[in-house]
Amino acid sequence: MRNYTDRLIALALTLVATLTVSCGGGGGAGSPTANEPAAPANLAYAENPAVYPMGSPASNAPTTSGGAVDAYAIDPALPQGFSFDTQTGRITGTPEVMAPEQSYTVTANNALGAVSVELSLKVTDRLPVVSYPTTTFALTGGVAMTPVSPVSTGGAVTAYTINPQLPSGLTLNSVTGEVSGAATQVAASWTYTVTASNEGGWDTATFDLEVVAPALSVSLQPEPTTVSSGSAATFVAGAAGSGALTYQWLCDGATIGGATAPTYSIPAATAADDGCRYQLRVSDVFGSVATSDPAELCVVGGAFAGAQSLSAPRGRHTATLLPSGDVLVAGGQDTLVAGFQQSALTVAASSLEGASTGDLVQARSEHVAVRLADGRVLFTGDHAGGAAPAELYEPTLGTFRPTAGAQVAVRRQHTATLLPDGRVLLAGGDDAGALASAELFDPVTETFAATGSMSTPRSAHTATLLNNGLVLITGGADGGASAELFDPVSETFSATGAMATARQHHFAALLGDGKVLVGGGDDGVAVVRSVEVYDPAIGTFATTSPLLTGRARAAAQRLGNGRVVVAGGVDDAGLALASTEVYDPVMGAWFASGALAAPRARLAPVLLGDGSWYVSGGEGDASMLSSTEVFDPEIPAPATFRSTGAMTGRSQFGLSLLPDGRALVAGGTTIGVAAMASAEIYDPATGAWTATGDLNQIRMDGVQVLLPNGKVLAAGGQETLFLPTATAELYDVATGEWTATSSMSTARSSTEGVVMSDGRVLVCGGLESVAVTAASEVFDPVTETWSNTGALSVPRRSHQVIALDNGKVLIIGGLSAGSGMLASCELYDPQTGTFSATGAMIEPRADAMAARLRDGRVLVCGGGSLFTVLSSAEIYDPQTETWTVVGSMTDARRGAAITQMPDGDVLVASGYGSWLLPVPTAEVFDFETETFIPAGALDAACEDAKAVLLPSTGRALVVGDIENGTSALFR
């Protein structure tokens, strides 16, 4: 709209007013009547002063009162382009030239007189006509825009204004109309109106303008850091963004006070800091937030502390953890050259004091001991060679006896490896020269049988059982740098990638991700520092950081936190070492740890149930040692929950620990009546969940177990409520896919599956649609087939199933066909395929929590029904087949998560209370006191919770919750 249009409207309004007055009633006193002649009076113009833009049509008419006007006159003449009508006094036309403001006299007259008025008139420049070259501005906050000026085709603009105001940081030049600057705030798309004006009037131009937040990202991620206890740790991160950035460091998701710079330092890290995940959260003035990847701080502590000495010096002996948690120390010699021992003793786990037990059948030194699946201990080999018979230790009797059959070959400095099927592989060794032969011990018949031979004779080598069921053989005398694999199914050896360094008397330790750490030893000439990692997926070795100290005949052990401690051994001069170092697989580096109190080699260490490492005796520089020590890795005691990445909300799912240390969740339900097929994997290294291959069959409330061959079996469950399935499938970690396998003979849900000592899986009882069953069957992972076995003596569902150290399986409580809670229990014997009654629980329970303790007993706690939920707990002793009451839980619960922690205590978390109310709390069963201790609470209750201990961190992963997908770490 322009000024000219406004003038036309004003003129029309004036004419209407004039007509209204002139057509009114009789008039007031002194006004002439219609029949009385009078002179013109009250001459006026609608626009006075009148301002007209050049080139714009103009019209300005006068009004008068009194008598009729005969003629109008104007003086001086109007500017070029105007016309003056002498009959009406109207000024019209289009001015063609600019004219300064001037006074014009207009006179209206008739025969009786005249009246005049002074009219001020001015002709200005033309009206503005403006526009912008674009009508849309898409700007990024903090980024200077390219200045944009308007295009004007009319008269000169004297001023520009805008409505509404531009976002902060942007300006409109009031003289030129240019829009420029860098926005300092985010603004949604909006229409802005610019008004260009001069003396003659105005014109408008509009455009849409939007300001989006600039990109904000973490340009430098913090690195995982490992330091020795008491050392400083520093995390550095960087961000790319616009404007002023604000920084805030987080530890496990919680803000750290004062940590507001791109660098964060911890002056002296302690064990309490071990495992904390640090992240930098960056924000800008535009409201954008970016958070770095988590970087874990690993604090390597650990120190040796003296323990009760042995009654006499002893070296070149064996130490074996028994099912009770005690340690069996057997054989060896009391001097460097003689004093061969036939005696044995048991060291109590609680006091670490030794007590005599039965003697070996014969004196042994440099022999090998391996605990069988049923708890017995097999002894083979001897330094002297000759016809050294093998023997077995019976823990329940405390006696040794010869095996039923003799070894196929005499061997020493060999390896003995317990296989997934319960057999033992004896490989290589020395008998007047390195051996290539191997043999298998069958614990059922107690006999030895020759098996395939290695491709290379070797002794003083290592043998490591891989997660895929194969055995990795490395190095050894005459073995050089070669390595090979033994397949228990085909009973054959095959070559695999060679090491970079020849080595013998070295160490090998299975890492949490399924790889094998191999290092140290000597190459036949000198002690070496080099270390390599074997990857079973590709069959090759890759070098990693070397040892801080070269050592041979050292001891190595993977700890509960996933690191590997290496202690003692001999240096290149043959002197015993006291130094200890720890390998962090995340960093791929070694860190000094607490030293041994006494230098020692040929250690006989054993990892105790509480996560500590017991070292007894050993070989010094001049004599055998009687002193003992315990290494405490400083794994923080269970205390708090730490939230981690959330998974998809689900309940009645399966949870399995994978061979590489990750955790797999599959199936379940989000609505309670229909199953799902999705699966996810939690990676402790990143703290995040990622999707993996879907199940082929939707299923909830089924069986999910990790098999000895590294695959995961999912079987049974329900597709929808009361529609059970018999289907089964296998998950392959290498491909991330599920493949169908043979189905069960019985469709069932509300049951449990357990891997037995022979590697097969027992599934018993459960719910067939609405009927409770006693049917049971066994899955063989080698043939991938199911076979029916003996039936339960009582149909039961919602029961618990625990594999015992003696090879049998304990079935606990559950609900009967009439939905009553059961106190009865049964034992399944895989050798006979039958169930038999065992001691009943003191209190009936279903949907309870059960865990095998480190001494072989079984803890059962809680359980109940919809209306009755228990807090009581009791322990089953497999030796007496009886139950004993222990301290109750602090909260009644059922369907909770349960798992054993590295120190032997048991975590019980969340679950349901009565009326299906979720319980957010957690508690820990203290193994030593047999009481429950409160252990904090989760951020959200995991009503249908499950838990698994992550070997790479020593922490428990607790997952569940149908709504929130809760996932937390407990340490």
Side-chain angles (χ1 to χ4, degrees), residues 309-310 312-319 329-338 365 553-555 567-570 576-577 596 598-605 614-629:
S309 293
L310 301 174
R314 191 184 295 252
R316 302 176 190 174
H317 56 288
T318 58
V329 176
Q333 53 194 87
D334 57 18
T335 71
L336 295 178
V337 295
S365 178
R553 300 182 186 273
V570 296
L577 295 167
L596 291 157
R600 62 185 87 212
R602 297 195 186 190
L603 293 74
Y614 176 68
V615 176
S616 59
E619 186 175 315
D621 290 332
S623 64
M624 297 301 185
L625 305 172
S626 61
S627 62
T628 67
E629 307 183 48

Side-chain angles (χ1 to χ4, degrees), residues 905-953:
D905 292 346
V906 177
L907 168 69
V908 180
S910 205
Y912 291 99
S914 60
W915 293 97
L916 296 179
L917 294 176
V919 180
T921 61
E923 46 196 299
V924 167
F925 176 77
D926 187 298
F927 177 80
E928 301 295 339
T929 65
E930 296 189 353
T931 59
F932 286 88
I933 302 169
L938 290 88
D939 291 339
C942 298
E943 298 107 332
D944 239 345
K946 287 183 172 60
V948 65
L949 182 67
L950 302 173
S952 61
T953 65

Side-chain angles (χ1 to χ4, degrees), residues 469-471 485-494:
L470 304 181
V471 179
L485 296 169
F486 176 75
D487 186 341
V489 176
S490 63
E491 296 189 10
T492 58
F493 289 87
S494 60

Side-chain angles (χ1 to χ4, degrees), residues 629-837:
E629 307 183 48
V630 175
F631 179 78
D632 181 357
E634 289 191 351
I635 301 173
T640 58
F641 283 95
R642 293 177 173 175
S643 295
T644 186
M647 68 171 191
T648 303
R650 64 180 82 205
S651 67
Q652 300 182 62
F653 53 88
L655 172 64
S656 301
L657 180 69
L658 297 178
D660 58 10
R662 297 179 300 162
L664 171 69
V665 163
T669 177
T670 58
I671 58 176
V673 296
M676 56 198 299
S678 67
E680 302 171 77
I681 288 180
Y682 174 77
D683 188 344
T686 63
W689 291 88
T690 56
T692 188
D694 288 350
L695 291 160
N696 294 299
Q697 168 72 57
I698 59 172
R699 65 182 79 238
M700 60 182 180
D701 195 21
V703 169
Q704 184 173 311
V705 292
L706 175 67
L707 302 175
N709 60 13
K711 293 185 178 182
V712 175
L713 170 69
Q718 301 179 82
E719 298 178 48
T720 58
L721 201 59
F722 305 126
L723 181 60
T725 178
T727 62
E729 49 194 300
L730 295 169
Y731 179 79
D732 189 327
V733 180
T735 63
E737 299 295 333
W738 296 86
T739 56
T741 187
S742 58
S743 295
M744 295 187 292
S745 59
T746 302
R748 67 182 85 210
S749 64
S750 297
T751 185
E752 294 286 336
V754 65
V755 178
M756 298 182 290
S757 58
D758 59 7
R760 296 180 302 157
V761 179
L762 170 68
V763 175
C764 57
L767 188 65
E768 295 183 74
S769 186
V770 294
V772 181
T773 182
S776 303
E777 48 194 307
V778 171
F779 179 76
D780 187 336
V782 177
T783 61
E784 293 191 16
T785 56
W786 294 87
S787 57
N788 291 324
T789 188
L792 290 162
S793 59
V794 176
R796 61 182 82 217
R797 64 181 177 91
S798 300
H799 51 289
Q800 300 300 313
V801 181
I802 297 291
L804 303 177
D805 285 338
N806 59 16
K808 295 183 179 181
V809 179
L810 175 66
I811 292 85
I812 307 164
L815 293 174
S816 67
S819 295
M821 288 194 294
L822 297 169
S824 65
C825 300
E826 307 183 43
L827 288 174
Y828 177 76
D829 188 337
Q831 295 186 24
T832 62
T834 58
F835 290 88
S836 60

Side-chain angles (χ1 to χ4, degrees), residues 246-574:
T246 302
Y247 303 94
Q248 177 62 63
W249 282 93
L250 312 174
C251 176
D252 291 330
T255 58
I256 304 172
T260 56
T263 299
Y264 175 65
S265 295
I266 303 169
T270 67
D273 300 310
D274 185 37
C276 293
R277 295 178 183 273
Y278 290 87
Q279 293 174 281
L280 180 63
R281 185 174 63 204
V282 186
S283 54
D284 60 21
V285 296
F286 304 96
S288 297
V289 177
T291 304
S292 73
D293 295 337
E296 185 173 7
L297 172 62
C298 297
V299 182
V300 176
F304 280 94
Q308 181 72 37
S309 293
L310 301 174
S311 57
R314 191 184 295 252
R316 302 176 190 174
H317 56 288
T318 58
T320 309
L321 187 68
L322 298 174
S324 64
D326 296 341
V327 178
L328 174 66
V329 176
Q333 53 194 87
D334 57 18
T335 71
L336 295 178
V337 295
F340 301 106
Q341 296 291 312
Q342 190 172 350
S343 65
L345 64 147
T346 56
V347 178
S350 56
S351 64
L352 297 183
E353 294 184 358
S356 296
T357 186
D359 288 344
L360 289 156
V361 175
Q362 67 170 58
R364 293 181 186 270
S365 178
E366 297 185 271
H367 53 288
V368 179
V370 59
R371 192 178 102 185
L372 304 177
D374 59 11
R376 296 178 296 168
V377 183
L378 172 69
F379 289 84
T380 59
D382 180 35
H383 80 289
E391 54 188 294
L392 289 168
Y393 177 75
E394 300 279 1
T396 56
L397 303 175
T399 58
F400 292 84
R401 61 174 178 81
T403 56
Q407 289 178 222
V408 174
V410 175
R411 54 185 90 232
R412 58 180 178 268
Q413 296 192 68
H414 60 291
T415 57
T417 308
L418 180 66
L419 301 177
D421 60 9
R423 296 179 298 168
V424 178
L425 169 70
L426 305 185
D430 181 85
D431 181 28
L435 300 171
S437 66
E439 53 191 294
L440 290 168
F441 174 74
D442 186 332
V444 177
T445 61
E446 297 184 11
T447 58
F448 294 85
T451 187
S453 293
M454 295 184 291
S455 60
T456 302
R458 56 183 92 226
S459 65
H461 53 288
T462 63
T464 307
L465 178 66
L466 303 178
N467 289 334
N468 58 14
L470 304 181
V471 179
L472 173 68
I473 311 289
T474 66
D478 292 349
S482 67
E484 49 192 304
L485 296 169
F486 176 75
D487 186 341
V489 176
S490 63
E491 296 189 10
T492 58
F493 289 87
S494 60
T496 188
M499 297 182 290
T501 303
R503 57 184 88 234
Q504 57 186 345
H505 302 297
H506 53 290
F507 63 81
L510 184 69
L511 300 176
D513 60 2
K515 298 178 182 178
V516 182
L517 183 73
V518 181
D522 67 80
D523 59 8
V525 178
V527 171
V528 298
R529 290 178 54 209
S530 66
V531 181
E532 310 176 47
V533 175
Y534 178 77
D535 187 343
I538 56 179
T540 60
F541 289 85
T543 58
T544 186
S545 300
L547 290 160
L548 302 177
T549 302
R551 60 186 80 221
R553 300 182 186 273
Q557 174 66 53
R558 188 182 83 193
L559 302 172
N561 56 13
R563 301 175 197 141
V564 175
V565 59
V566 175
V570 296
D571 61 15
D572 207 28

